Amino acid sequence: MALWITDECINCDVCEPECPNQAISMGEEIYEIDPRRCTECVGHFDEPQCVQLCPVSCIPVNPSHVETKEQLLAKFRRLQPPDASLAVAGPPAPAAA
């Protein structure tokens, strides 16, 4: 479930620097969220940082991009450098003897 920014956005600039996936950027009039990069902070934080910080509560779930937590985690892993995915997945299991 990628998030999206509604037209209630006041362009306060709080959300963009807090996005760990660089999914938020300035659009023509308001900030926008790239659903290909938005993981709702899964893999980084327990809650979406932009939602927590938005002073006007204009960042709901995007109904056009519904994803499960597992899908969001898979997207997180694709977006991260190979070493970063170890932090979430953990090290490989030892080989059986």
Side-chain angles (χ1 to χ4, degrees), residues 52-93:
Q52 288 186 341
L53 296 171
C54 181
V56 293
S57 301
C58 69
I59 309 175
V61 170
N62 185 339
S64 299
H65 296 281
V66 177
E67 297 168 287
T68 65
K69 291 285 185 186
E70 292 78 20
Q71 290 170 316
L72 292 170
L73 186 56
K75 187 190 310 183
F76 161 78
R77 289 183 177 136
R78 283 192 308 272
L79 291 170
Q80 301 308 308
D83 293 339
S85 66
L86 291 177
V88 172

Side-chain angles (χ1 to χ4, degrees), residues 14-31:
V14 172
C15 60
E16 183 183 26
E18 296 303 319
C19 180
N21 295 316
Q22 291 86 41
I24 301 174
S25 61
M26 188 63 193
E28 285 188 34
E29 296 180 23
I30 60 172
Y31 280 93

Side-chain angles (χ1 to χ4, degrees), residues 33-51:
I33 296 178
D34 181 349
R36 296 168 299 174
R37 297 194 64 82
C38 178
T39 64
E40 293 185 39
C41 291
V42 168
H44 293 284
F45 302 101
D46 292 332
E47 298 291 329
Q49 298 301 287
C50 59
V51 173

